[in-house]
Amino acid sequence: MHLDALPTPAAVVDLDVLEANVARQKERAASLGVALRPHVKTHKCVEIARMQRDAGARGITVSTLAEARAFADAGFDDITWAFPLIPSRLSEVRELASRVRLGVTVDSKEAVEALASTGDAFHVWLEVDCGDHRAGVDPEGDLGLAVAQELHDSAELRFEGVLTHAGHAYACRFGQGLGEIAEQERATIVAFADRVRDAGVSVERVSVGSTPTMSAVRDLTGVTEMRPGNYVFHDYTQTVIGSADVADCALTVVATVVSHRPGDGISVCDAGGLALSKEQGPSGVAPTMGRVYDDYGAKTLDEEAMLTSLSQEHGVLRGALAVGTRLRILPNHSCMAAACFDRYHVVRGEEIVAEWPIHRAR
Ligand SMILES: Cc1ncc(COP(=O)(O)O)c(C=O)c1O
């Protein structure tokens, strides 16, 4: 089927760009001397994870137990759940850990105690805050050492290593300061691992990663693996941060103009908040609700027509566009837009060559 015949709104993946992004990250990990454990929450798609595995990924990272289950069912047997343990979901964690090598993540004594209370032999990562101030122990405080010690002393639990995520890299613009944050991410976690070792606890694995920092980092000494996720698709936010160009963006939302009053400067399309998400990028870097390509082949964005507001199903555009006009929209945040759909339409050029399910349940 030709893309023009596809009912809208639809999530469309450009296979050429996706393949190039997967290949580039493989090279990046190899040249930096670390394993690649991609975060699959971006795409939630088994077919894309298989491409990543074929390109050398060793294990995957997930953010939800539903993702973990979907990928375990598809034969992925080495999965890190890089989200603080949810104690009320311990029975699901146990079920998953009984059939795959599941890494769980903690940053508190309470979470360690919840895991230990089961008597099961979980693989446990300790999350460290390298400046994002979201989850993770303070790398200079006492709690991190105490949690590492508890994991080490536990008869059942296995201390897998330390991990961090430099989410604050999303505040960068046009590459400025990105290299410094990438080095801060590395240096913080490596110094923390050394503190833990000095306390007599061995730390074998040290995990870092975000798409912006992995695009800029020059040295990963002391690190054993990277976990970028967004790089498979990139998005408008990554172009503002300076970690990708429009030509590196693989996910578009295809939409149709459904309303335009002659003489008015606005139009309405069928891609609203439930197709694009209402996010202006993880750190609000995007000034609009979504950019429209003026020429997808040339990878140029329209300087006039752009999404100015979204309601549930309506996308309001600046610009006078005739009803029926088809649009390709570059989402602000591809992970959030992808999670609005239950399948990707995969294209080579403008020909749809596959349909891949998206496992978006929680
Ligand atoms: C813990 C963790 N690791 C890795 C990633 C991947 O980062 P990115 O989406 O920038 O590739 C994320 C994304 O939010 C994350 O939360």
Side-chain angles (χ1 to χ4, degrees):
M1 193 207 287
H2 191 272
L3 194 52
D4 287 347
L6 183 65
T8 63
V12 170
V13 171
D14 186 319
L15 198 46
D16 291 334
V17 182
L18 172 66
E19 286 171 351
N21 290 344
V22 168
R24 195 177 317 114
Q25 202 66 239
K26 173 193 177 181
E27 294 308 319
R28 199 95 193 97
S31 69
L32 289 160
V34 297
L36 174 60
R37 180 183 289 273
H39 207 316
V40 300
K41 76 177 177 136
T42 299
H43 53 72
K44 302 176 189 281
C45 174
V46 167
E47 287 77 0
I48 298 178
R50 286 194 185 121
M51 288 172 66
Q52 292 172 303
R53 187 173 58 189
D54 292 347
R58 280 186 245 153
I60 56 170
T61 310
V62 299
S63 55
T64 70
L65 290 170
E67 285 164 25
R69 260 191 304 276
F71 286 94
D73 292 347
F76 288 83
D77 59 4
D78 181 359
I79 302 175
T80 300
W81 181 30
F83 188 87
L85 178 82
I86 308 174
S88 60
R89 301 191 70 172
L90 256 181
S91 59
E92 291 167 72
V93 176
R94 294 179 80 182
E95 187 278 321
L96 273 161
S98 70
R99 57 193 178 106
V100 298
R101 188 181 210 283
L102 181 75
V104 294
T105 305
V106 302
D107 66 359
S108 68
K109 289 186 168 191
E110 290 84 348
V112 175
E113 277 152 26
L115 288 171
S117 70
T118 65
D120 289 6
F122 293 112
H123 301 274
V124 189
W125 288 92
L126 171 56
E127 182 167 2
V128 178
D129 178 13
C130 66
D132 190 25
H133 305 319
R134 189 175 66 177
V137 295
D138 176 352
E140 283 162 13
D142 296 333
L143 178 64
L145 286 188
V147 174
Q149 192 72 54
E150 271 186 33
L151 290 170
H152 176 256
D153 293 346
S154 164
E156 293 82 25
L157 302 179
R158 297 174 197 166
F159 182 29
E160 197 74 1
V162 291
L163 71 79
T164 195
H165 165 67
H168 52 309
Y170 278 85
C172 291
R173 301 287 183 278
F174 309 111
Q176 273 192 341
L178 203 47
E180 286 79 354
I181 292 182
E183 171 53 16
Q184 179 200 17
E185 182 180 41
R186 183 201 73 81
T188 304
I189 193 83
V190 168
F192 178 76
D194 286 342
R195 272 186 79 207
V196 174
R197 290 180 186 119
D198 289 346
V201 173
S202 87
V203 182
E204 281 172 29
R205 297 164 74 188
V206 177
S207 177
V208 301
S210 73
T211 291
T213 52
M214 293 306 97
S215 77
V217 75
R218 291 204 195 89
D219 170 43
L220 281 179
T221 302
V223 168
T224 61
E225 69 169 25
M226 57 153 79
R227 307 181 320 278
N230 181 277
Y231 73 90
V232 287
F233 292 155
H234 295 119
D235 48 31
Y236 183 64
T237 298
Q238 300 292 349
T239 72
V240 177
I241 293 171
S243 37
D245 293 326
V246 174
D248 305 319
C249 296
L251 180 76
T252 49
V253 172
V254 175
T256 309
V257 175
V258 291
S259 173
H260 168 63
R261 225 172 288 157
D264 239 13
I266 65 161
S267 313
V268 177
C269 74
D270 56 354
L274 288 185
L276 294 166
S277 91
K278 286 195 149 198
E279 209 188 281
Q280 292 191 265
S283 54
V285 297
T288 75
M289 300 309 290
R291 296 294 302 268
V292 176
Y293 285 83
D294 73 352
D295 181 346
Y296 185 80
K299 308 288 185 193
T300 51
L301 300 177
D302 201 311
E303 292 304 327
E304 170 61 21
M306 49 188 82
L307 285 140
T308 53
S309 72
L310 306 177
S311 44
Q312 189 165 335
E313 307 297 348
H314 297 67
V316 178
L317 294 143
R318 188 178 78 192
L321 298 167
V323 169
T325 306
R326 289 176 73 91
L327 309 170
R328 278 182 96 163
I329 300 169
L330 177 58
N332 285 340
H333 190 178
S334 59
C335 312
M336 298 288 281
C340 295
F341 291 88
D342 58 15
R343 80 194 63 186
Y344 298 112
H345 289 90
V346 183
V347 293
R348 278 262 187 232
E350 301 204 328
E351 208 49 47
I352 298 170
V353 294
E355 252 185 63
W356 293 340
I358 302 172
H359 296 281
R360 60 185 180 148
R362 303 195 69 79

